[in-house]
Amino acid sequence: MDSIEPRNIPLTPGVYLFKDAGGHIIYVGKAKVLRKRLASYFRPDKTLTPKTRAMVRMAVSVDTLSTTSEKEALLLEASLIKKHRPRYNIVLRDDKQYILFKLTKRHEWPRLTLTRKVVRDGSAYFGPYTSAQAARDTWKAIQRVFLLRRCSDTAFRNRVRPCLYHHMGQCLGPCCLPVDNARYRAMVGKVELLLNGRSSELLELLQQQMLDASEALEFEKAAELRDQIAAIRRTVEKQAAVLGSERDMDVLGVAETSKGLALGVLFVRGGVLLDGRNFFWSGLGLEEAPEMVLSFLGQYYGPQSVVPQRIVIPWALEEQAQDGSALPVMSDSLGLSDEEVLADSDDPLAALAEALSELRGSTVRIGPPRGDAENRLVTMAQTNAAEEARTSASANVEEILAAKLGMASLPHRIEAVDVSHTGGRDTRVGVVVFEDGKPAKDQYRTYAFTDEESGGDDYGVLAAWMRRRLESGPPWPDLLLVDGGRGQLGAVMSVLEEAGCGQLFAVAAIAKARSEDSNRADRRKGGVADSIFLPGRMNPVSMRAGSPELLYLQLIRDAVHDYSLRRHRKARAGSALAGELQRIEGIGPSLAKVLWEHFSSIRDMADASEAELAALPGIGPAKARRIRSGLAAMRTKA
């Protein structure tokens, strides 16, 4: 790294970015003192981990970004890692938010819903749950026991008669009927007890209420309470109390396997083991475990996640930069002593705990297990992670794919692209993302092209899309899969090579199998004879029909084909309905577009209040009344 000028490296907190010869970011780190932290990389090879040695050999330059505090550096580091996904960082690839229960307590009539995002709006959140199906089943069970409203705030404000759930005995109907708010709030309190893991306390309360109702000869009420008790017991029978106290905590366990490091997380809420999740990073050894834990914590918790009051890590973490032997090569010119180089941060968790405390709104403590109960939980998390890493087949498929396609690294992140149009009209390019074998649906994207831009030329559209994709920047895929043959692959590669990005990521194309009678593409999913093409290679890659690696690519191809087709059909339907909307007085092309961007159907538009319509760009109160009247008439005709 001849381009580094040691004296230009600031003595401030901040973030540093190592880059390779092509200017690509290969590692992002944070420091309490940038100059001291960077000096620690230039020690004898024997004192560095294998991953760090490989990174230092590949790096040719380093950029620094100063911050006002170590906490700001931590947050910036996590953001840059998620954005650029550098090759030598511990990257949390499955960083999706899990299912949570949301109770809108500030509303006069609170509602219980499922969500993946935490919004600081005064609502109470409970979870997380990794299984969306299990969360939905629990939600349905709670709704059958406690008759809370289900309709959205908009529907609640505009209802003139109770909905079907009221007639089915599953809602009290506070939208239209004179419901006792105190009784409703009492139900909300019981729901909170249940979701907080205090089911035993709730059952005792209901048991006493049932006895009181029975003694008062209110047998109908007593029977209702009896049914509630039975339903709650069925809901919580699978939960296991693991702590004597009612604490919330996340517990981490790390396991070393023959292929890398596995990390398990257990979610304990109210002293009850609620759920768990496992992660895996191939090619890492136990010496990288401290960095993995720190990097995981920084990326996993964010503004839209629930942060518990305590996070248990497997062991106490100390600054893992070096071992104290021999001065760094760089430290002489920096005028730093051994102690100064090694003292970048006395407590690497302090800044993280401070940042998480701000997110939670109260103190968050991070540390090793305390007592036998927490030690058992760490062991449980470690065992679960090791077992899933052992039984998971996804790593094997990635290894086989990398070998078959001649890739330098495993294809953890795969983007697939497909074009859909009808005679060159309403052209849409769909992109789906798979990470570690699972669809990352929040990263799916649709690119729209006008009829003039596309002209029915799939090759031209793919080339135009590739230019847009390069402009949007990282995260880059490990593998880009194009739905098509050699022509589609060539269109994409010509743009990459023209931009000097031919080696930025691997590219392959998957072509549909051909039917024997007509020699046309067989559009059935998972055609056994599908072909895989690579740039610069005439013959397709040899993949056995029905092999795991080919089935995996076919799964991704079918996902992007279905997605792009749905986007195209929606565009066609939108074009037709936009014309229908323009028949309403006061709605022109631009306003029709605004309405379709805000609402997903005519029904949603008609259900919206005048205030909601008036709040949209270009609509005032008077125009909102005319539009709402026209939408009501259109809905009646339909």
Side-chain angles (χ1 to χ4, degrees):
M1 285 189 285
D2 297 334
S3 59
I4 296 178
E5 290 292 338
R7 296 294 178 182
N8 293 336
I9 300 174
L11 288 164
T12 62
V15 170
Y16 53 94
L17 303 89
F18 282 105
K19 296 182 177 181
D20 62 14
H24 304 129
I25 297 172
I26 60 173
Y27 186 80
V28 175
K30 66 93 180 171
K32 185 176 182 180
V33 181
L34 283 167
R35 191 183 298 179
K36 295 177 182 178
R37 186 69 178 101
L38 285 170
S40 68
Y41 283 94
F42 297 87
R43 299 175 63 77
D45 280 356
K46 65 179 181 180
T47 66
L48 303 174
T49 65
K51 179 175 69 69
T52 303
R53 286 199 298 269
M55 185 273 292
V56 171
R57 283 196 295 267
M58 182 168 286
V60 298
S61 64
V62 62
D63 292 342
T64 60
L65 299 171
S66 294
T67 60
T68 58
S69 67
E70 189 181 5
K71 182 191 72 177
E72 286 186 9
L74 172 79
L75 298 176
L76 180 57
E77 176 198 35
S79 174
L80 290 172
I81 289 175
K82 287 183 178 182
K83 178 180 179 180
H84 296 286
R85 298 179 178 265
R87 178 175 180 179
Y88 291 101
N89 275 102
I90 308 294
V91 179
L92 179 59
R93 298 181 182 276
D94 182 11
D95 58 353
K96 69 178 182 181
Q97 300 300 320
Y98 301 125
I99 290 287
L100 302 165
F101 284 101
K102 177 180 180 179
L103 191 60
T104 55
K105 296 181 65 175
R106 286 189 178 177
H107 196 281
E108 183 182 5
W109 307 97
R111 174 187 180 216
L112 183 67
T113 59
L114 296 173
T115 183
R116 291 185 185 272
K117 297 180 179 179
V118 173
V119 181
R120 312 299 172 180
D121 58 358
S123 299
Y125 293 87
F126 310 90
Y129 295 83
T130 58
S131 170
Q133 185 60 51
R136 281 192 289 267
D137 291 343
T138 303
W139 178 82
K140 290 176 183 177
I142 291 173
Q143 291 288 169
R144 286 193 293 269
V145 176
F146 303 106
L147 313 183
L148 304 183
R149 70 177 176 98
R150 302 194 186 193
C151 54
S152 66
D153 292 349
T154 300
F156 183 85
R157 289 193 301 267
N158 291 282
R159 283 205 179 279
V160 294
R161 58 179 180 273
C163 66
L164 181 61
Y165 285 114
H166 171 74
H167 296 293
M168 293 169 60
Q170 295 185 20
C171 178
L172 295 178
C175 55
C176 308
L177 303 178
V179 177
D180 181 7
N181 188 260
R183 178 191 174 193
Y184 192 94
R185 286 283 175 177
M187 281 199 308
V188 172
K190 293 173 183 177
V191 170
E192 284 193 85
L193 285 176
L194 178 61
L195 293 176
N196 272 319
R198 297 162 62 185
S199 54
S200 58
E201 184 177 336
L202 173 60
L203 288 171
E204 290 177 5
L205 174 63
L206 293 177
Q207 189 80 24
Q208 185 59 50
Q209 290 179 351
M210 182 182 70
L211 293 175
D212 293 343
S214 180
E215 291 178 1
L217 304 182
E218 297 176 349
F219 299 117
E220 185 175 341
K221 181 178 179 182
E224 178 183 331
L225 289 165
R226 178 202 61 202
D227 294 341
Q228 286 186 4
I229 292 171
I232 291 170
R233 281 177 175 159
R234 286 194 299 271
T235 301
V236 303
E237 63 184 2
K238 295 181 180 179
Q239 296 180 344
V242 292
L243 293 176
S245 61
E246 296 178 350
R247 282 182 293 173
D248 293 350
M249 64 171 62
D250 288 351
V251 182
L252 277 62
V254 175
E256 185 179 28
T257 73
S258 59
K259 295 185 178 180
L261 288 180
L263 184 146
V265 187
L266 299 180
F267 309 127
V268 179
R269 300 294 182 264
V272 173
L273 179 57
L274 193 68
D275 210 333
R277 184 74 174 90
N278 299 311
F279 304 85
F280 181 78
W281 290 270
S282 61
L284 296 184
L286 204 56
E287 64 271 19
E288 275 102 10
E291 180 190 352
M292 181 192 71
V293 171
L294 281 171
S295 188
F296 172 84
L297 293 174
Q299 296 175 61
Y300 181 75
Y301 296 103
Q304 295 179 341
S305 60
V306 170
V307 182
Q309 62 197 74
R310 177 159 161 72
I311 300 172
V312 179
I313 56 178
W315 5 250
L317 293 181
E318 299 176 355
E319 184 60 38
Q320 297 291 317
Q322 315 303 339
D323 63 2
S325 62
L327 277 173
V329 174
M330 204 174 159
S331 65
D332 292 334
S333 60
L334 296 176
L336 300 175
S337 67
D338 247 348
E339 291 73 16
E340 288 176 313
V341 170
L342 301 178
D344 180 31
S345 177
D346 296 331
D347 182 3
L349 295 172
L352 180 62
E354 182 184 354
L356 295 184
S357 296
E358 285 190 10
L359 283 177
R360 178 178 168 82
S362 60
T363 301
V364 174
R365 291 183 170 84
I366 308 173
R370 299 180 303 202
D372 293 339
E374 292 186 5
N375 266 309
R376 285 195 298 271
L377 287 172
V378 170
T379 302
M380 186 187 302
Q382 180 183 30
T383 303
N384 291 344
E387 181 62 21
E388 181 165 319
R390 186 183 66 82
T391 58
S392 175
S394 63
N396 293 333
V397 172
E398 289 177 351
E399 290 172 3
I400 296 171
L401 266 181
K404 290 278 188 180
L405 303 181
M407 298 176 60
S409 58
L410 298 182
H412 293 298
R413 177 185 173 90
I414 300 178
E415 293 184 11
V417 58
D418 186 27
V419 180
S420 185
H421 59 82
T422 302
R425 300 180 63 85
D426 299 315
T427 301
R428 295 294 183 270
V429 175
V431 178
V432 304
V433 178
F434 275 64
E435 292 189 336
D436 293 323
K438 297 178 181 179
K441 294 188 177 181
D442 59 325
Q443 300 184 53
Y444 286 15
R445 294 292 182 269
T446 306
Y447 295 76
F449 290 86
T450 64
D451 297 344
E452 293 76 15
E453 287 177 315
S454 64
D457 178 9
D458 284 9
Y459 299 163
V461 170
L462 278 172
W465 168 80
M466 192 68 253
R467 294 187 189 95
R468 287 198 199 176
R469 178 64 185 89
L470 289 175
E471 291 174 359
S472 64
W476 303 117
D478 299 309
L479 171 65
L480 173 63
L481 184 65
V482 182
D483 186 1
R486 295 187 185 90
Q488 286 84 352
L489 179 62
V492 169
M493 287 305 303
S494 64
V495 175
L496 286 172
E497 290 169 356
E498 180 184 331
C501 300
Q503 303 300 318
L504 186 58
F505 43 77
V507 184
I510 178 168
K512 290 282 188 180
R514 297 278 171 176
S515 59
E516 295 181 0
D517 53 349
S518 64
N519 197 36
R520 291 185 176 180
D522 184 351
R523 303 309 297 180
R524 292 174 297 176
K525 289 185 177 180
V528 294
D530 289 351
S531 300
I532 309 298
F533 294 97
L534 295 178
R537 175 172 171 164
M538 180 60 67
N539 296 324
V541 177
S542 175
M543 287 192 184
R544 179 176 53 83
S547 63
E549 63 273 19
L550 182 56
L551 290 174
Y552 182 39
L553 294 180
Q554 289 170 340
L555 170 69
I556 298 173
R557 186 272 316 283
D558 292 338
V560 72
H561 178 73
D562 291 347
Y563 177 74
S564 62
L565 190 59
R566 288 197 305 271
R567 298 296 94 184
H568 167 59
R569 287 173 175 169
K570 183 175 181 180
R572 290 178 62 190
S575 298
L577 291 173
E580 186 71 13
L581 277 176
Q582 292 176 47
R583 295 172 57 192
I584 300 175
E585 181 185 357
I587 297 183
S590 60
L591 196 51
K593 181 179 179 181
V594 169
L595 287 168
W596 276 115
E597 287 176 349
H598 191 76
F599 300 100
S600 59
S601 67
I602 293 288
R603 178 184 294 273
D604 289 344
M605 296 179 199
D607 285 341
S609 64
E610 287 185 14
E612 284 183 283
L613 292 171
L616 296 178
I619 303 179
K623 187 176 287 187
R625 282 192 294 273
R626 293 198 302 271
I627 291 174
R628 197 162 189 269
S629 176
L631 288 169
M634 181 185 295
R635 182 176 178 181
T636 301
K637 291 178 182 178

